[in-house]
Amino acid sequence: MKINRVIFCFLFLLVIVNFSFGMQADNATRRFGIFIGSNNGGRDRVTLRYAVTDAQSMKNVFNEMGGIAVMDSVLLVEPTIREINRRIDAIHEQVLNARGTNRRTEIIFYYSGHSDEEGLLLNREKYMYRELRERINRIPSDMRIVILDSCASGAFTRIKGGERTLPFLVDSSFTAEGYAFLTSSSANEASQESDRIGASYFTHSLVAGLRGAADSVGDGRVTLNELYRYAYAETLARTETSLFGAQHPSYDIQISGTGDLVLTDVSQTSAGIVFDERLTGRISIRNSRDHLIVELTKTARPLELGLEPGSYRIILQQGNDLSRADVTLIEGRHIHVTRDNFSRIDAEPTRRRGDDDEEPSSSNMHLYTFFFNVVYEPFPFPLIGFVNNAIGNHHIFQCGFVNNNTLDFNGFQAGFVNTIGNDLFGFQAGFVNTIGGDVNGFQAGFVNNNAGDLRGFQSGFFNNNAGNTIGMQYGFVNITAKKLTGLQFGFVNITDSVEKGVPIGFISIVKNGGYKALEFSFSEFFTYNAALKTGIEKFYTSILVSYKQTSRFSREHFAFGFGFGSILPINKLFYFNPELTGQTSVLALEKETFVNHKGSFTGYKSSFINYNSFIPYFGFNFGSFSIAAAPSVTWIHSAKAEDMPDPLFRIYMNDINDNNRIVVGGRIAARVKF
């Protein structure tokens, strides 16, 4: 009997545990989403650019961190009224079916496109606000959230007396029921979109807020109250000085019970950025496709944003100072960000969303005269004129005496003076070329100046790269302020450090990890030899001067030249150092009469001696001081046979002819590195 009682108690506990877990599963909230983008508002409306992408962005953020499963959300592109109603009816059925297994159900309805005071404008159809509102209110969901980003959408919130009041929802449980209708503007205002951010101001603020920017208390969650306050402030601030006036988001809220609805949770994202509490200023984040993801004002508080894994460029503006940081987010990690260097941001053009009259905005105010051209992004055609000025990004081709592009340029820019405010993807040719960001391609001119990294080829008399060089610099003077990965070829080369690269020049200065040494030596031809060696140990260049001490002073006792070599360590003390050098002694300039087909004339002919040597040094290190010795092989060429020099000593000598001689001798050298 005791055993039976134990078994009965165990089974009873098992049933209780199973029932408890089942109840927990049933208590879960299930969300559904409809996201609509419609650029086409009919023949009398300007076609929008970003309504569809706005809808896609909202869908993505709710799928990633807003609790809406992909199977429970749908994106409708340029739909008809019938298609929208069919989808709302389908959600209605899904909510009814979910009520048996889920404690709460919630729906998100988002629309971006054209509208007027009466309804949504879908190509040639008008979906009346009253019909839309009634159909959504019939859905038996605990919460219904409607977000409209369109002109005069505030009329939707006035149907049942909604008006702008103080911020709503102040408590923090989750038993609230009802609806929330958010609109991008009031009943008589235009909603605006921006070419620079590639979205509407309102939706751009919503996406940034949902990703964590609206989290005012720092708990990692964004509530409906926080989102509205953030979107209202950001949209108003960004449109107050626009051509079409300030834009005031509006809402109508009818909620019973208690609770501030949590819309997104940053902890649900697989990657993210945590900004340091002390970091303040205006922050914008772009992804690897140069799409602006988030733009916000950071105050002195911790801030965490949820983002997809990938590469991002962060721009921080503090007054007139700009700084930039590049981060790569990986799955399962949130990166902590403090401060780093960035690049410039320009003022953005805007256009009225869905305005009846095509009044000129800054995005349409193009001045194209073929002499002085000013265009705004996006401008998909070449610019050809004396002065070309592209505001924002530009592509394809610019040709003129002066070419200016304020942001990125992708294509070919040719002129006397070329300026790009941000990155170059392509080719830039001119007398003076200046780039404010990175070079990804080819830059050719008398002066080339680049504020970022070089990935490609830079050719000119003076080449200056303020970042890293991955590629080649070719010119009289080449400067890489950071790391060289590739080749510098010029008279003077300067770089901070070298990784898998080499500078080749008359003088090559590598600040960190470079090779700089003075050498004094004795050779078979000259009593005194001095050399300045610069570059890296794997490849250095030498400037040489030599003097032969004799009883009389003569030009032939001096020689000047150039050489290069490589230091190959054997161990910590010994090294092998093959070196090639070339030197010349100029003996005299003599008058001589020359005859050609026009007659005779008097000119000057030089008399010289060339010394070309190979020296396989073996050396011994004493810290920064070393000594080296080696046999040497020298080929001597003399302009006159009677000027052929004799060595001070030799191991072997062979006269090839009257003007050429091979001499095997020896060298001993002392070096000091500095």
Side-chain angles (χ1 to χ4, degrees), residues 371 384-388 399-404 414-418 430-432:
F371 178 81
I384 301 174
F386 188 77
V387 177
N388 300 309
C399 181
F401 186 80
V402 176
N403 298 306
N404 179 52
F416 186 80
V417 176
N418 299 310
F431 186 80
V432 177

Side-chain angles (χ1 to χ4, degrees), residues 99 114 177 188 219 262 275 369 448 544 548 574 578 660:
R99 294 181 70 182
H114 290 273
E177 297 180 356
N188 56 358
D219 61 357
V262 175
F275 289 99
T369 66
N448 299 308
L544 310 168
K548 182 192 296 184
F574 296 97
N660 295 279

Side-chain angles (χ1 to χ4, degrees), residues 244-260:
F244 301 109
Q247 181 179 326
H248 299 80
S250 182
Y251 65 83
D252 177 20
I253 306 297
Q254 295 293 330
I255 294 179
S256 61
T258 61
D260 191 350

